Amino acid sequence: MMGPMRPVIIAGNWKMHTAPADAGHLAAALADATAEPAVVRVTCPPFVALAAVRDALAGREVAVGAQNVHHEAAGAFTGEVAAAMLTGLATWAIVGHSERRRDAGETDAQIGQKLRRCLETGLRPILCVGEGLADRDAGRAEPAVRDQLDGAWASFAAGPPGGADDGAELASRLVIAYEPVWAIGTGRTASGADAAAMARVIRATLAGWGWPRSSAEAVPVLYGGSVTSATIDAFMAEPDLDGALVGGASLKVEEMAGIVARAALTAHARLEAS
Ligand code: PEP
């Protein structure tokens, strides 16, 4: 039986690089070098560069994403950015990136609330999960990722009541990035087979929440961790994976041109098979 036709997505996380003065030029150059209509492209610059990137990307078919949102809707949280403040600036948001879990102490409970804030404000969340090296070495990678997902879901589901179809709305908007922590910014990548196995664990976990299997199967799962134009093929060759969240290489025009061109081959093959 054919599964759902999931989109191929390449998202770039610029992390703490660029400023309003140079971000627009970079975003435009990246967009022009990666113009592949079959691939969904998302660029996530720092907050202060969102407006410049939005303006530079007008008419270029690349979505703008934020790298984070706060878990509360508003309040006395100096220096933070609420999801609602991103209206008009971004349409996607990364949630639960491992660098924020590590540096800002973000918990699964907060991450679940962030998912809710994203839905409330119309943002499409890219939820990041991934095990650390100790868990991978101890054979605990899968339970570690399951725990992150279950923790976020428990908090999302317990959040302010928003209607009986909360889960359905999340299912229709959610993208998950499997990013093993030991592979981020290290030059090491997971194997395509290991990443695909984790994608299956992730979708089985969503189905375990009572989501219809078809909804769980329709959630795109990206791989992230030292993806370059030289390593993307291993992931795009896996039918269970739907693209990549790219960090370091997302700032390099040539690299992104190669990554998106490779991803487009998979996107076209899926379209032809559908
Ligand atoms: C990331 O920031 O999500 C990431 C995967 O980074 P890198 O590609 O640099 O490993």
Side-chain angles (χ1 to χ4, degrees), residues 38-62:
V39 177
V40 176
R41 293 169 293 157
V42 187
T43 295
C44 304
F47 285 124
V48 295
L50 283 170
V53 168
R54 174 204 57 197
D55 293 348
L57 291 179
R60 281 190 164 96
E61 309 254 313
V62 179

Side-chain angles (χ1 to χ4, degrees), residues 33-106:
T34 60
E36 284 285 355
V39 177
V40 176
R41 293 169 293 157
V42 187
T43 295
C44 304
F47 285 124
V48 295
L50 283 170
V53 168
R54 174 204 57 197
D55 293 348
L57 291 179
R60 281 190 164 96
E61 309 254 313
V62 179
V64 181
Q67 296 176 16
N68 182 34
V69 298
H70 197 265
H71 59 278
E72 295 290 354
F77 302 104
T78 303
E80 297 289 347
V81 175
M85 296 172 184
L86 298 170
T87 302
L89 289 170
T91 52
W92 293 59
I94 297 171
V95 165
H97 192 281
S98 66
E99 288 158 9
R100 293 206 53 83
R101 292 176 188 259
R102 179 194 69 198
D103 300 335
E106 286 186 7

